[in-house]
Amino acid sequence: MAVAGPVRVRLAPSPTGTLHIGTARTAVFNWLFARRHGGQFLLRIEDTDRERSKDEYTANILDGLQWLGLQWDGEPVIQSARIAEHRLAIAQLLASGNAYRCYATEAELTAMREQQAARNLPPRYDNRHRHLSPEQEQAFIAEGREATVRFRINDDTTIIWNDLVRGEMRWSGADLGGDMVIARRAPADRIGDPLYNLVVVVDDAAMAISHVIRGEDHIANTAKQLLLYQALGSPAPLFAHTPLILNQEGRKLSKRDGVTSVSDFRRMGYVAEALANYMTLLGWSPPEGMEERFSLAEAATVFDFDRVNRAGARFDWDKLDWLNAQVLHGLNPEALRQQLLPLWKAEGWAIGGAAADSTWQLDLCALLAPSLTRLSDGVDQAAPFFRRPELDQAAREQLDAPGATAALAALSQGLPEGPLEADAAKALLETAATAAGVKKGVVMKSARAALLGSLQGPDLLTTLTLLHRLGEAGPRLAGVTG
Ligand code: GLU
């Protein structure tokens, strides 16, 4: 797709909650499009809902974007700091006759909606104060009524735009709910708090946004916003509406689905690269010949709206797990250690002696890496290296099996004073089997049970050498438990 002029896109999150996966996916598409076209990816914090906006949510959003590798350009724009501009635009719309004051009370509007409902009509404002005479306005003011400001939306207007994802879009003015409130109720000599559709248009115009890329739940807003651009005499950006993220039942992913914020995924042990990769696939398909596993930088070389689907994108945990495993398996031991060490520390494990040594930690990471799906597996599987494990049922049975005691005794007697290399450990298993008069399999299973408390776990020889370096192999083989 050819793009004319400089690309300037934005993410406009409201800090009324933590960074939601849908917002993060919108961020990914904006970032990819900006990078593809050498453009700017801007950030605007839409904090005009002062009661629900919180600084901690802004911090969570910025932190989540940075963690995902979605660095924005320049300083974030803080919407609440621009309220004077928003009011100016409303004043302009009032002066040009595109907007007017509506004195209808909440009670009147509720009664109007009830009547509509009784007649099975969709709720809409009936434009009742569109043509008040100055005398009627004075009478309302004299009554002490406050006023909202409404923007005129003519029923017979048709709004058409060429959506970069969905193609030609048409909306009839009649389907937009009547004249739209753009400023909250306030005394009639003032302009109340400006509302979403108005502020977004004023800010997008001021930031010279070239493309608005956001979820398809904003399509009706786009129709209204295009009318506002026209009335304000500002050139409108192009629009791309991305498909919704659906849960496994095919319904819009919502808070009820539990895990919805980027920090939840992070806490569950997903790594940024895998989550960013997965979110890119939520609604976009890579071109023929490109693997599904890619970095954001790789996707940015080919990203285009032509390959964004119109249908909702169903969340697929198996694919996310698969991608996460791919990323973890591909990490070098040092990179994995950087990720795991803070988690190990957070468990409150005493990481002392040889376990504090980075080469020992790197060897442990190399041992665990191939079996990890989530980082949390790297905590569960590392646990027996930091604390003596409780024996599970199968391990207990193994230790009671014939030959186990003899095998472990032979093994622990054969442990050297000094370091135990992998080759020597292998030879030790053989000699222990011979000395105890049991099969090698019995030695191995018994050793596993005594060292890890379970018959499952990583490579036994490496486990043995790592625990020996901690001085832990001997006591565990001798049956010393936590
Ligand atoms: N603050 C709006 C939201 O979070 C922004 C929507 C838009 O991108 O215009 O839904």
Side-chain angles (χ1 to χ4, degrees):
M1 191 191 71
V3 170
V7 165
R8 290 172 64 83
V9 297
R10 80 333 184 245
L11 183 75
S14 308
T16 52
T18 52
L19 178 60
H20 185 273
I21 191 84
T23 310
R25 199 274 312 260
T26 300
V28 170
F29 283 12
N30 274 280
W31 186 94
L32 290 172
F33 187 71
R35 293 294 169 264
R36 170 82 202 266
H37 295 286
Q40 300 268 299
F41 169 58
L42 307 172
L43 189 59
R44 183 172 68 234
I45 302 296
E46 302 214 315
D47 59 342
T48 44
D49 182 342
R50 295 202 207 118
E51 265 159 38
R52 290 173 57 225
S53 295
K54 293 209 166 83
D55 287 346
E56 68 198 72
Y57 292 139
T58 302
N60 175 281
I61 291 166
L62 300 189
D63 181 54
L65 292 173
Q66 256 159 347
W67 178 71
L68 286 165
L70 302 170
Q71 188 55 52
W72 55 92
D73 296 305
E75 286 296 312
V77 171
I78 307 299
Q79 190 161 61
S80 59
R82 297 185 30 77
I83 194 154
E85 312 288 323
H86 307 143
R87 288 219 162 88
L88 221 54
I90 295 171
Q92 181 191 332
L93 291 170
L94 281 166
S96 63
N98 284 294
Y100 62 90
R101 288 200 158 81
C102 166
Y103 297 83
T105 62
E106 253 337 305
E108 287 170 352
L109 294 174
T110 307
M112 173 192 77
R113 282 189 288 261
E114 280 167 3
Q115 280 168 18
Q116 288 163 345
R119 285 189 288 150
N120 272 333
L121 295 171
R124 59 174 275 133
Y125 173 63
D126 57 8
N127 301 346
R128 58 179 62 184
H129 287 181
R130 201 189 244 204
H131 299 292
L132 292 181
S133 66
E135 294 74 29
Q136 287 171 307
E137 289 210 38
Q138 279 315 316
F140 283 136
I141 294 169
E143 263 179 49
R145 288 194 185 204
E146 298 195 329
T148 58
V149 178
R150 285 189 185 263
F151 175 69
R152 285 168 191 260
I153 298 181
N154 292 330
D155 280 357
D156 59 3
T157 190
T158 305
I159 305 114
I160 302 173
W161 77 93
N162 187 19
D163 195 282
L164 297 173
V165 174
R166 309 175 68 85
E168 188 183 279
M169 301 289 288
R170 278 172 178 268
W171 271 78
S172 160
D175 293 334
L176 292 175
D179 294 342
M180 155 174 75
V181 180
I182 54 174
R184 274 190 225 284
R185 210 176 292 282
D189 58 344
R190 292 221 308 267
I191 291 173
D193 286 341
L195 289 176
Y196 166 72
N197 279 304
L198 182 281
V199 295
V200 164
V201 166
V202 172
D203 289 350
D204 282 341
M207 290 165 75
I209 296 303
S210 61
H211 297 75
V212 169
I213 305 164
R214 59 186 175 196
E216 67 171 46
D217 44 335
H218 284 289
I219 289 178
N221 287 329
T222 296
K224 294 173 183 170
Q225 290 172 21
L226 283 167
L227 294 174
L228 282 165
Y229 280 105
Q230 227 171 37
L232 289 166
S234 304
L238 298 173
F239 288 88
H241 290 98
T242 57
L244 295 182
I245 302 178
L246 308 177
N247 64 17
Q248 270 149 326
E249 286 77 49
R251 284 190 296 274
K252 186 179 167 185
L253 192 75
S254 76
K255 281 216 170 95
R256 276 185 306 258
D257 292 300
V259 181
T260 49
S261 92
V262 166
S263 18
D264 294 336
F265 286 92
R266 189 173 177 179
R267 213 172 303 118
M268 286 171 76
Y270 292 102
V271 288
E273 198 180 335
L275 190 58
N277 186 165
Y278 182 64
M279 287 192 293
T280 311
L281 292 172
L282 271 176
W284 180 77
S285 332
E288 208 71 18
M290 181 171 171
E291 307 259 334
E292 287 200 309
R293 158 92 186 91
F294 46 72
S295 67
L296 282 178
E298 284 161 346
T301 62
V302 291
F303 181 82
D304 211 326
F305 291 116
D306 298 350
R307 304 195 65 82
V308 172
N309 312 323
R310 293 183 197 187
R314 205 177 275 241
F315 203 91
D316 178 352
W317 286 99
D318 290 340
K319 183 167 281 182
L320 174 59
D321 278 342
W322 178 79
L323 284 169
N324 208 58
Q326 298 299 305
V327 173
L328 291 180
H329 299 175
L331 287 183
N332 66 44
E334 177 54 28
L336 185 57
R337 191 178 78 99
Q338 302 277 348
Q339 301 264 8
L340 288 178
L341 189 56
L343 303 181
W344 293 340
K345 288 187 175 156
E347 291 294 310
W349 296 334
I351 304 178
D357 169 17
S358 63
T359 40
W360 183 89
Q361 293 172 359
L362 289 171
D363 288 347
L364 178 60
C365 287
L367 172 68
L368 301 181
S371 58
L372 304 183
T373 297
R374 299 182 189 172
L375 281 173
S376 47
D377 301 331
V379 176
D380 297 343
Q381 293 176 26
F385 291 88
F386 292 105
R387 316 172 296 200
R388 288 194 180 144
E390 305 252 333
L391 304 187
D392 69 16
Q393 176 70 15
R396 255 182 273 130
E397 282 168 17
Q398 175 61 35
L399 293 181
D400 289 339
T405 310
L408 292 182
L411 204 51
S412 73
Q413 273 157 26
L415 283 176
E417 285 283 319
L420 174 68
E421 301 301 334
D423 286 351
K426 188 158 182 258
L428 178 58
L429 289 182
E430 316 262 353
T431 45
T434 317
V438 296
K439 290 209 172 112
K440 199 173 135 202
V442 175
V443 182
M444 292 181 70
K445 276 167 86 176
S446 307
R448 212 177 251 296
L451 295 173
L452 297 173
S454 158
L455 300 187
Q456 255 85 59
D459 175 69
L460 178 66
L461 291 178
T462 314
T463 299
L464 181 60
T465 59
L466 283 172
L467 285 171
H468 184 64
R469 274 153 76 184
L470 299 180
E472 266 296 295
R476 291 192 197 185
L477 292 173
V480 178
T481 54

